[in-house]
């Protein structure tokens, strides 16, 4: 008996009865079941990050060759695909996912989300959600996993300290990456607006109690993060501005007041994360053979992620430039008669955004 209404569909030509869900959702569900044994001691984290797929560049020792190579590759890979595609690295095809948004797209998306969630917005157009601000300093250290009961090998411990607020206690944790899916949204010409791709990542976060950086722990990165979070019922949306820097010289242990850092690099990050409570509850029910709504939960999450990317890529209405002064030269000013003359001569009902000479062609100075 099916465990959910979407578990089994009609019989196909291949005599199979696949689930009635999006192929990406089905793949995400398989990832969750494959790593389900790792969620007994820690909660699963499923998040989607916005960014772009970039084609991998060949490494060169010659800087001139590397410069020509980097200019040859566009900022976003131009793949011969017009719709969404799930990418898989293979021989002859390499790529990397670059998270983050350009400043103008990031600001436009942030302002739009603020308008959509504002109490001034009519109820029928408003999105209901909670909001929270965070300002933290994160330090990353390379440690031996066996030293702290973590997965074997070198692990990256994050020590996060709130910059503002009453409680400024540092918290240490390690994110264990399990699997990921990269979704290319399809080729889109630049004149149609920006294009963004998605990375769906599955991981767990393990707390490292009592961690204190020692002399044999290498300090790797510092990330100062200002984040605004929109809380929804089954997921949360994080909008973050991050300043990333690294020690100018190799450094072990906690940073000192005289520690020199490289110039900070700013990035604008957007990610949406599924609530682990609902996810684990439905995943456990599915694994136990009970009724579940895992497919519905993952489908809604994927659709929300796609909508978020589409929202960020929408072109805003083009604004008319402000009227510029003519430095007191009244002969160059445009009046209502000039506008009417231009419309009659060229038989149009609109006015140009640029091109002051159009009015002079229709009504020269001597005719005024």
């Amino acid at each position: 008996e099916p465990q959910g209404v979407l578990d089994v569909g009609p019989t196909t030509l291949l005599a199979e009865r696949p689930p009635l869900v999006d192929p990406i959702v089905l793949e995400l569900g398989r990832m969750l079941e494959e790593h389900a044994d790792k969620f007994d001691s820690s909660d699963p984290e499923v998040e989607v990050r916005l960014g772009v797929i970039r084609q991998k560049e060949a490494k060169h020792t010659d800087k001139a060759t590397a410069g020509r190579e980097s200019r040859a590759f566009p900022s976003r890979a131009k793949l011969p695909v017009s719709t969404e595609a799930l990418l898989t690295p293979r021989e002859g095809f390499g790529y990397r996912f670059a998270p983050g948004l350009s400043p103008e797209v990031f600001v436009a998306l942030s302002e739009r989300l603020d308008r959509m969630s504002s109490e001034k917005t009519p109820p029928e157009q408003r999105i209901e959600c909670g909001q929270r601000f965070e300002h933290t300093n994160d330090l990353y250290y390379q440690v031996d996993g066996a030293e702290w009961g973590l997965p074997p090998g070198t692990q990256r411990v994050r020590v996060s300290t709130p910059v503002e607020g009453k409680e400024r206690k540092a918290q240490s944790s390690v994110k264990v990456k399990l699997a990921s899916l990269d979704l290319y949204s399809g080729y889109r010409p630049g004149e149609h607006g920006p294009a963004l791709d998605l990375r769906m990542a599955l991981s767990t976060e393990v707390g490292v109690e009592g961690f204190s950086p020692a002399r044999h722990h290498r300090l790797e990165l510092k990330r100062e993060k200002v984040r605004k979070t929109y809380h929804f019922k089954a997921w949360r949306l994080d909008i973050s501005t991050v300043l990333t820097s690294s020690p100018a010289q190799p450094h072990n242990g906690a940073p000192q007041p005289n520690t020199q850092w490289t110039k900070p690099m700013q990035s604008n990050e957007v990610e949406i994360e599924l609530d682990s409570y609902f996810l684990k509850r439905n995943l456990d029910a599915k694994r136990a053979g009970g009724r579940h709504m895992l497919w519905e939960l993952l489908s809604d999450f994927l659709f929300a992620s796609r909508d978020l990317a589409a929202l960020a890529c929408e072109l805003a209405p083009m604004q008319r430039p402000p009227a510029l002064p003519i430095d007191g030269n009244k002969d160059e000013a445009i009046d209502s008669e000039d506008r009417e003359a231009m419309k009659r001569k060229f038989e149009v009902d609109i006015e140009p955004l640029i091109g002051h000479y159009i009015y002079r062609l229709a009504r020269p100075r001597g005719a005024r």
Side-chain angles (χ1 to χ4, degrees):
E1 183 183 356
Q3 301 165 286
V5 295
L6 300 179
D7 271 311
V8 179
T11 305
T12 66
L13 294 176
L14 301 176
E16 298 175 346
R17 301 187 66 186
L20 294 173
V21 295
D22 188 292
I24 305 301
V25 172
L26 184 60
E27 189 65 27
L28 181 57
R30 288 173 180 167
M31 281 171 38
L32 285 165
E33 293 195 76
E34 179 183 350
H35 298 279
D37 60 323
K38 299 180 177 64
F39 306 144
D40 295 334
S41 57
S42 58
D43 292 333
E45 290 188 2
V46 174
E47 64 181 20
V48 174
R49 305 183 74 182
L50 271 58
V52 294
I53 298 292
R54 298 179 185 269
Q55 194 161 346
K56 244 179 195 177
E57 303 177 18
K59 294 183 179 180
H60 300 283
T61 55
D62 180 24
K63 292 184 178 180
T65 304
R68 292 193 299 269
E69 185 86 7
S70 63
R71 288 192 296 270
F73 286 101
S75 58
R76 180 173 182 260
K78 293 182 179 179
L79 303 181
V81 181
S82 58
T83 57
E84 185 182 78
L86 177 61
L87 301 185
T88 304
R90 61 186 66 187
E91 185 178 356
F93 174 65
Y95 70 89
R96 66 183 181 90
F97 180 81
L101 278 63
S102 63
E104 58 273 15
V105 173
F106 179 80
V107 170
L109 177 62
S110 301
E111 292 178 347
R112 188 165 186 178
L113 289 172
D114 286 339
R115 289 195 302 269
M116 294 172 65
S117 59
S118 172
E119 294 183 355
K120 298 180 180 179
T121 303
E124 64 275 9
Q125 302 176 11
R126 185 190 314 147
I127 55 174
E128 299 293 340
C129 63
Q131 298 181 21
R132 184 182 66 182
F133 285 93
E134 287 181 309
H135 185 186
T136 59
N137 270 332
D138 296 345
L139 297 175
Y140 291 82
Y141 298 89
Q142 291 185 0
V143 304
D144 183 4
E147 179 184 356
W148 295 92
L150 300 170
T154 302
Q155 299 293 337
R156 177 189 280 185
V157 174
R158 182 188 67 193
V159 179
S160 182
T161 306
V163 175
E164 301 174 353
K166 296 181 180 179
E167 296 185 4
R168 299 190 181 184
K169 183 179 179 181
Q171 295 184 345
S172 303
S173 61
V174 169
K175 176 170 284 191
V176 181
K177 299 179 181 179
L178 301 176
S180 63
L181 299 173
D182 292 323
L183 303 182
Y184 183 76
S185 62
Y187 174 69
R188 184 175 183 177
E191 58 269 23
H192 294 168
L196 293 173
D197 306 308
L198 305 176
R199 165 164 285 185
M200 306 187 71
L202 173 62
S203 62
T204 62
E205 191 163 300
V206 181
V208 185
E209 296 294 335
F211 175 80
S212 178
R215 296 288 299 173
H216 59 286
H217 296 150
R218 182 176 179 182
L219 178 60
E220 187 179 10
L221 288 174
K222 177 177 71 172
R223 282 165 58 91
E224 183 178 356
K225 183 166 49 183
V226 178
R227 167 176 288 177
K228 184 174 185 179
T229 301
Y230 300 84
H231 289 275
F232 297 89
K233 183 176 181 180
W235 51 75
R236 75 168 192 255
L237 171 61
D238 294 329
I239 308 290
S240 308
T241 299
V242 184
L243 294 176
T244 304
S245 56
S246 58
Q249 302 292 333
H251 184 91
N252 285 13
Q256 303 300 317
N258 60 350
T259 301
Q260 298 295 317
W261 299 90
T262 59
K263 183 179 179 181
M265 299 291 293
Q266 179 174 326
S267 59
N268 306 298
E269 302 176 1
V270 176
E271 62 184 43
I272 179 170
E273 183 175 334
L274 190 57
D275 188 279
S276 60
Y277 171 77
F278 294 106
L279 175 60
K280 201 166 187 296
R281 183 178 178 182
N282 283 277
L283 179 61
D284 290 344
K286 185 177 188 303
R287 295 181 66 202
R291 290 284 182 173
H292 67 88
M293 297 187 68
L294 180 64
W295 300 129
E296 290 86 346
L297 178 64
L298 296 180
S299 296
D300 287 347
F301 179 67
L302 174 62
F303 299 155
S305 302
R306 288 170 172 163
D307 289 345
L308 179 63
L311 195 69
C313 294
E314 281 186 352
L315 287 174
M318 183 177 293
Q319 298 181 358
R320 295 187 62 178
L324 299 178
I326 313 297
D327 296 331
N329 189 347
K330 297 182 180 180
D331 291 336
E332 295 297 332
I334 302 299
D335 56 23
S336 58
E337 293 183 4
D338 293 327
R339 293 186 170 87
E340 292 300 325
M342 185 277 297
K343 293 179 181 179
R344 288 195 303 270
K345 180 175 179 61
F346 297 105
E347 299 180 354
V348 295
D349 293 327
I350 59 176
E351 297 186 42
L353 292 177
I354 58 176
H356 185 272
Y357 66 94
I358 296 293
Y359 299 98
R360 295 283 73 84
L361 290 176
R363 188 167 181 250
R365 292 180 184 176
R368 301 182 69 183

